[in-house]
Amino acid sequence: MTRTPSTPKKKRIFMTGASGCIGHYIAESLIQNTGHELFLLVRKPEKLKFDYQARSGITILEGDLREISQYNDLLSTVDGAILAATAWGGPREVFDINVVKTIQLIKALDPNVCNQVIYFSTASILGQQNQPLPQAGQLGTDYIRSKYDCYQQLSKLASAPPISVIFPTLVFGGDENKPYSHLSSGLSEIPKWINLARFLKADGSFHFLHAYDIAQIITHLVDYPLPPDPKEDFVFAHHLVLGNPVITIDEAVEEICQFLNKKIYFRIPLSLALADTLIGILRLVGVKIEMAAWDQFCMRYRHFRYQNPVNPTTFGLTTYCPTLSDLLKISGVRAKLDQG
């Protein structure tokens, strides 16, 4: 896939989730790099750190997805929708926002007017062949199960605009002007645990992507929607797993050690039996470790890798953060270590 050279048509875009980490990057990119008319639904406008008055055509809608029906008239007129809002805690709120109200919003869009819905799910609900993972719906956290349920319900819609389902893998991002993702907020702890991790070998793999790169992709898709994939059904136009090329846990530890100038003298294989033993020992000495059903499944599943991951290079763009070293550099991990 490469960038389409034609000038994109000006559109009316409705977006949820602009106050979150990914949402901040997407909204800022759309404001700075496009001329589209944007309608941003946010519960607390004071949480927005980007300049939504930088140009005309930006409307902040102070409201909640629970009250999405009050925007039905507007929703029937938009050319596209970006659904990045999500709820994380509390079963009732999570399923109401992530499933019921999301479906209600999509049903309010006019398929004859709206030519694209970009819906954010999570790669956690997929197996290694990019198909729904049953354990995600059975054992997942409230958040993961809600995303699994929403995906299943979307697939059964009788009528809807073309939906591109976005499955982010591990997401990093955030700075003084944007909220930090959960993972990025923990990067400062790397120098503490790498001293132990460098002496262990672990069987596992994963993808990651920076929120800036996610914003690059979404902006490109808004400007240049992909033609529907003929292999998809009529509801889903595309399934896009967002992530850099897969990296193993051992490769990640080695790259982090190289970046931090930490030597690796030997490595002990960390088997499931050894991991269970270590957890048991820590519990005996008073360390509180709770392993939910999903945590236990992840320990045994281990390889969260997917087919044909999408990143900016897929569309002829330049990836902002292609490696873990780049991620650590822009996050200032080495500088904090030197200062410490």
Side-chain angles (χ1 to χ4, degrees):
M1 302 177 186
T2 58
R3 180 184 289 277
T4 305
S6 59
T7 301
K9 173 187 174 184
K10 185 176 180 180
K11 303 172 184 178
R12 289 163 58 83
I13 305 296
F14 185 92
M15 178 179 173
T16 67
S19 62
C21 174
I22 294 175
H24 262 73
Y25 283 92
I26 294 174
E28 186 173 75
S29 178
L30 291 173
I31 291 171
Q32 294 179 354
N33 301 315
T34 80
H36 303 310
E37 188 173 4
L38 306 177
F39 300 90
L40 310 179
L41 177 65
V42 293
R43 285 187 296 176
K44 298 180 179 180
E46 64 270 19
K47 295 177 66 175
L48 299 179
K49 299 181 180 181
F50 54 82
D51 185 4
Y52 51 83
Q53 297 179 327
R55 65 170 175 84
S56 61
I58 314 298
T59 301
I60 302 299
L61 305 171
E62 184 173 0
D64 194 299
L65 260 178
R66 292 187 183 91
E67 304 157 351
I68 193 61
S69 61
Q70 68 178 301
Y71 299 106
N72 281 353
D73 289 344
L74 171 62
L75 289 170
S76 67
T77 69
V78 298
D79 303 292
I82 302 171
L83 309 185
T86 194
W88 296 89
R92 179 175 297 181
E93 179 184 12
V94 166
F95 283 89
D96 187 35
I97 296 296
N98 296 354
V99 184
V100 177
K101 297 305 179 182
T102 297
I103 298 292
Q104 184 178 331
L105 189 161
I106 291 175
K107 286 183 176 180
L109 300 169
D110 185 343
N112 296 315
V113 178
C114 182
N115 57 32
Q116 180 176 221
V117 175
I118 298 176
Y119 163 67
F120 274 79
S121 184
T122 170
S124 296
I125 73 167
L126 298 180
Q128 295 172 11
Q129 302 302 315
N130 295 13
Q131 296 298 318
L133 182 66
Q135 291 88 343
Q138 299 161 2
L139 307 175
T141 62
D142 291 336
Y143 165 74
I144 291 173
R145 286 189 293 111
S146 71
K147 290 296 187 178
Y148 185 92
D149 288 355
C150 187
Y151 177 82
Q152 297 295 337
Q153 291 195 34
L154 287 175
S155 69
K156 299 174 184 177
L157 289 178
S159 175
I163 301 173
S164 291
V165 187
I166 306 299
F167 300 96
T169 51
L170 300 182
V171 176
F172 292 89
D175 54 36
E176 63 274 10
N177 296 315
K178 298 178 186 66
Y180 284 94
S181 74
H182 177 70
L183 290 173
S184 279
S185 62
L187 284 176
S188 60
E189 300 296 315
I190 284 181
K192 297 179 181 178
W193 60 256
I194 196 63
N195 287 323
L196 173 61
R198 60 181 167 150
F199 297 119
L200 299 173
K201 287 180 66 67
D203 183 29
S205 54
F206 61 94
H207 305 262
F208 76 91
L209 201 64
H210 195 279
Y212 183 94
D213 288 321
I214 294 176
Q216 286 198 79
I217 294 169
I218 300 306
T219 300
H220 180 85
L221 293 177
V222 169
D223 282 345
Y224 310 106
L226 298 174
D229 187 337
K231 293 179 292 186
E232 299 286 358
D233 58 35
F234 82 97
V235 174
F236 296 131
H238 297 279
H239 287 71
L240 301 177
V241 176
L242 305 190
N244 289 318
V246 69
I247 183 172
T248 68
I249 293 176
D250 287 345
E251 290 170 341
V253 170
E254 291 165 6
E255 186 174 348
I256 292 171
C257 285
Q258 183 177 16
F259 181 83
L260 296 177
N261 293 324
K262 299 280 187 178
K263 293 184 180 297
I264 299 176
Y265 299 101
F266 60 87
R267 306 187 78 176
I268 301 172
L270 181 61
S271 64
L272 285 175
L274 178 57
D276 289 338
T277 300
L278 290 174
I279 291 172
I281 293 173
L282 290 171
R283 285 172 172 166
L284 285 174
V285 299
V287 178
K288 188 176 181 181
I289 298 178
E290 296 183 3
M291 294 288 290
W294 180 249
D295 299 323
Q296 296 176 22
F297 170 76
C298 291
M299 280 186 62
R300 285 154 177 77
Y301 191 74
R302 297 190 303 279
H303 291 281
F304 287 86
R305 59 195 307 162
Y306 306 95
Q307 302 296 312
N308 304 314
V310 169
N311 55 65
T313 61
T314 308
F315 304 97
L317 307 171
T318 300
T319 301
Y320 169 66
C321 190
T323 69
L324 282 177
S325 296
D326 295 320
L327 177 63
L328 295 173
K329 183 177 180 180
I330 64 175
S331 300
V333 172
R334 181 59 187 273
K336 293 174 185 175
L337 180 64
D338 293 339
Q339 292 172 3

